[in-house]
Amino acid sequence: MAISKTIREQMKESSWIRRMFEEGTEMRRKHGADKVFDLSLGNPVLEPPTEFRTELMRIAQDETPGTHRYMPNTGYAETRAAVAKTLAAETGMAFTAGEILMTCGAAGALNVTLRSILDRGDEVVIFAPYFAEYIFYIQHNGGVMKVAQCDSGFQPDVASLAAALTARTRAVIINSPNNPTGVIYPASIIAAIGQAISAAEKTFGTEIYLIADEPYRKLIYSGQEYPFVYKYHQRSIVATSHSKDLGLAGERIGYIAVNPGCPDKSELLEAAVFANRTLGFVNAPAIMQRIVARIQGASVDVDEYRKKRDFLYGALTGIGYECVKPEGAFYMFPKSPLPDDRDFIRLLQSKFVLCVPGVGFGTPGYFRISYCVDDRTLKGCVPGFREAYDEAKTMLP
Ligand SMILES: Cc1ncc(COP(=O)(O)O)c(C=O)c1O
């Protein structure tokens, strides 16, 4: 056997998102790119802001020796200081470079965090619907995934969380704005999550981390204030990136920010630096660190994503789809018109529209649309959605 049994099993279970994306590539090859409307992958369609290009050009001209060498595994001091300064301004909390570790995207940040805190068999609670890669991040780092549920509006069900917390729980991961639903968790829910975790810590005499996975934090359409987790649980860690807010998903730049009030934070940071090195990331990309240090205030034009949300949400609900209105990120998670979401995905595919079944996010009966696509795809997919909806209705008893 060429590969491990574990990886073979994981690959079998592995992401519907990738599967649909690959099928889309094949369909484009066979039928022509203009015939296929691929809404399967969350690949940011907006280009990085002009500030990014300006800084990139500046660095390209910089001949200072050492610019491209190894650095401390935490990342450049100037980058960590710039991130801390921005976070301090946004949260009113005393962030310093000492609480920041630069990482290879949010995925790197999550893996480094989990590696730093998990012993084999420790449990990590996530909420369904969830970002499917969490399963593998948890398993790769020796953890066991436990799933809590959300309510019908896709807000975390705190009673379900409380029931999932045990003496082996080491962490709870939340993700807001959420992939796949686009929902934002209000302060009241995050406060209730913090209380449930603190109660479990007391009951079991343990320490439980609240990890906020926030790559969509700046992609908010409602103008509401974003409730940072730091206020609601001392042992909190943010894992995030500039993949979406600066459109840099391919450049792999993100960071971990540990709550300044977190007990034992120095030891935690030391562990994270060690994990960053020995997981093989070593450090976040040097050029990207130098750039993002100077453009912490910049962002893609979030209004462009809001317009796409408004268009597609209006079109789909006009057809008859039931959907919680997304307030952020660039995903929608409508109810499947057929009982089996995989059947509906295949029906959509027959209309040349590609989406991902809810089963891939731990929530059958729904499907995910990624609307970070160009306007041709956004407008062109609507007839396919209409035909599939009408056909599904004729298939129901
Ligand atoms: C919820 C969530 N977390 C983490 C990631 C990983 O982000 P990054 O590309 O910054 O590693 C993604 C990417 O799509 C995501 O949707």
Side-chain angles (χ1 to χ4, degrees):
M1 196 186 286
I3 58 171
S4 86
K5 284 194 223 88
T6 314
I7 290 287
R8 190 180 298 278
E9 278 308 304
Q10 289 177 332
M11 284 166 61
K12 238 197 285 166
E13 297 299 311
S14 152
S15 175
W16 270 95
I17 303 173
R18 283 278 155 191
R19 197 179 308 173
M20 295 311 294
F21 181 71
E22 277 154 26
E23 288 186 23
T25 305
E26 180 57 18
M27 282 170 75
R28 279 189 285 274
R29 194 189 59 73
K30 227 164 155 180
H31 303 285
D34 59 323
K35 301 279 188 316
V36 181
F37 305 100
D38 190 345
L39 301 109
S40 65
L41 196 66
N43 205 356
V45 71
L46 298 185
E47 291 301 322
T50 47
E51 292 94 322
F52 171 79
R53 287 186 194 289
T54 309
E55 290 301 325
L56 187 59
M57 302 286 274
R58 185 184 58 77
I59 288 168
Q61 307 295 326
D62 184 352
E63 293 181 10
T64 311
T67 298
H68 306 288
R69 291 182 194 150
Y70 285 127
M71 68 187 78
N73 302 111
T74 44
Y76 291 121
E78 83 208 40
T79 310
R80 296 161 62 219
V83 169
K85 192 170 164 211
T86 307
L87 279 179
E90 285 176 335
T91 62
M93 298 178 79
F95 275 99
T96 66
E99 281 99 27
I100 310 297
L101 166 69
M102 301 309 296
T103 62
C104 294
L110 286 164
N111 276 283
V112 163
T113 302
L114 293 171
R115 178 55 62 101
S116 305
I117 61 175
L118 294 184
D119 278 313
R120 191 156 292 282
D122 282 348
E123 294 170 1
V124 180
V125 183
I126 59 177
F127 288 94
Y130 48 72
F131 175 56
E133 301 292 86
Y134 290 156
I135 304 171
F136 307 112
Y137 300 167
I138 293 167
Q139 290 175 354
H140 284 338
N141 292 293
V144 175
M145 177 181 83
K146 294 276 157 169
V147 180
Q149 298 302 319
C150 286
D151 64 19
S152 58
F154 300 129
Q155 292 294 341
D157 176 345
V158 181
S160 161
L161 168 66
L165 298 170
T166 74
R168 285 310 303 264
T169 308
R170 191 67 171 134
V172 175
I173 302 178
I174 59 172
N175 166 226
S176 169
N178 185 265
N179 175 8
T181 65
V183 157
I184 297 172
Y185 302 166
S188 58
I189 294 273
I190 298 180
I193 289 173
Q195 281 160 14
I197 294 174
S198 299
E201 286 180 320
K202 235 187 229 146
T203 305
F204 301 116
T206 52
E207 295 164 353
I208 302 174
Y209 289 94
L210 177 56
I211 302 171
D213 176 25
E214 295 183 354
Y216 304 97
R217 167 156 64 84
K218 290 194 181 165
L219 273 51
I220 294 181
Y221 310 125
S222 49
Q224 72 193 79
E225 206 175 300
Y226 182 75
F228 287 94
V229 286
Y230 310 109
K231 226 167 83 185
Y232 302 105
H233 189 61
Q234 270 198 323
R235 287 183 200 281
S236 51
I237 303 170
V238 164
T240 191
S241 72
H242 293 297
S243 295
K244 321 288 161 138
D245 61 18
L246 291 175
L248 297 177
E251 303 294 352
R252 315 307 305 136
I253 183 73
Y255 62 85
I256 287 169
V258 176
N259 190 337
C262 182
D264 308 321
K265 67 176 178 191
S266 307
E267 195 183 10
L268 177 62
L269 253 305
E270 276 169 32
V273 174
F274 175 79
N276 200 34
R277 186 181 100 218
T278 54
L279 281 170
F281 296 120
V282 182
N283 56 250
I287 290 177
M288 290 304 129
Q289 286 197 53
R290 293 192 189 282
I291 294 176
V292 301
R294 289 174 169 244
I295 60 169
Q296 278 296 298
S299 156
V300 296
D301 182 359
V302 175
D303 211 43
E304 288 296 312
Y305 284 133
R306 185 190 58 73
K307 283 186 208 149
K308 290 181 194 292
R309 186 238 8 214
D310 288 346
F311 172 80
L312 200 59
Y313 180 78
L316 295 189
T317 51
I319 291 169
Y321 286 92
E322 286 175 54
C323 184
V324 172
K325 189 172 187 181
E327 296 175 305
F330 35 53
Y331 307 104
M332 277 181 214
F333 203 56
K335 218 174 204 155
S336 165
L338 290 176
D340 188 327
D341 45 303
R342 287 165 302 185
D343 290 344
F344 187 65
I345 287 302
R346 293 300 174 209
L347 180 57
L348 273 177
Q349 202 172 350
S350 73
K351 314 293 175 200
F352 294 91
V353 176
L354 297 170
C355 296
V356 184
V359 69
F361 304 89
T363 310
Y366 293 82
F367 65 100
R368 192 193 76 170
I369 297 170
S370 176
Y371 58 84
C372 56
V373 292
D374 58 25
D375 284 345
R376 180 202 74 84
T377 306
L378 198 69
K379 300 210 161 104
C381 70
V382 175
F385 273 116
R386 180 174 293 111
E387 282 171 37
Y389 183 86
D390 291 344
E391 215 167 299
K393 289 289 155 189
T394 68
M395 293 160 76
L396 293 173

